[in-house]
Structure formats: C-alpha cells, structure tokens
C-alpha cells in the first residue's frame, strides 16, 4: 500500500502522540489526562526530531568510520 510522504509523517506523529499520552497517563507517575495531553503535545514532535537526528548522526559516524578504515588500509 502506497501512502504519500506527508500522510506517513502525520500518521507517525499521531501514533507517537498517542503512545506518549498513554505512557504519561498510565506510567509510574500517573499524570492527569489534561497534563498528559499537553505534555504529549510538546513531547511528540521532540521525540520524532531526536529519532531523526539520531539516525543522521549514526549514518555520519558509520561513514567516518568507513573512511578512517580505508585510510588505514584495512
């Protein structure tokens, strides 16, 4: 099934938001619904951004390691 990229991003954001709200609500701290909805609203884009940045940094480290090994002749 093909979904356009903006729709995939929207669905991913929605899934992360729902997951975070439920985690904040039913986690060990047990926030109220109002607080968990607000915190989830702020945390969902941040979580997606950090996930994307982590992938970018891992790829850069992999490339740097490959170049370093090639320079050493291994």
């Amino acid at each position: 099934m093909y979904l356009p990229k903006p729709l995939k991003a929207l669905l991913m954001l929605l899934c992360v938001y729902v997951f975070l709200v439920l985690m904040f609500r039913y986690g060990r701290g047990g926030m109220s619904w109002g607080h968990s909805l607000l915190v989830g609203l702020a945390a969902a884009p941040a979580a997606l951004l950090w996930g994307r940045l982590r992938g970018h940094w891992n790829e850069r480290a992999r490339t740097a390691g490959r170049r370093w090994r090639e320079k050493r002749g291994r």
Side-chain angles (χ1 to χ4, degrees), residues 32-47:
S32 67
W33 277 110
H35 285 113
S36 63
L37 290 170
L38 286 174
V39 172
L41 194 60

Side-chain angles (χ1 to χ4, degrees), residues 3 5 7 9 61:
L3 293 174
K5 197 169 189 171
L7 185 58

Side-chain angles (χ1 to χ4, degrees), residues 16-72:
V16 168
Y17 174 71
V18 168
F19 174 76
L20 287 173
V21 167
L22 291 174
M23 185 182 73
F24 290 137
R25 173 68 179 123
Y26 295 112
R28 185 175 280 212
M31 290 182 183
S32 67
W33 277 110
H35 285 113
S36 63
L37 290 170
L38 286 174
V39 172
L41 194 60
L48 287 175
L49 176 67
W50 280 111
R52 203 171 268 242
L53 285 175
R54 187 190 67 212
H56 174 72
W57 288 333
N58 284 343
E59 182 59 35
R60 287 193 60 176
R62 189 176 302 119
T63 304
R66 191 177 312 120
R67 281 191 309 233
W68 183 78
R69 282 189 304 275
E70 288 173 358
K71 190 174 12 172
R72 288 187 62 202

Side-chain angles (χ1 to χ4, degrees), residues 2-14 48 52:
Y2 174 75
L3 293 174
K5 197 169 189 171
L7 185 58
K8 284 182 194 177
L10 182 65
L11 286 174
M12 181 63 108
L13 181 65
L14 181 64
L48 287 175
R52 203 171 268 242

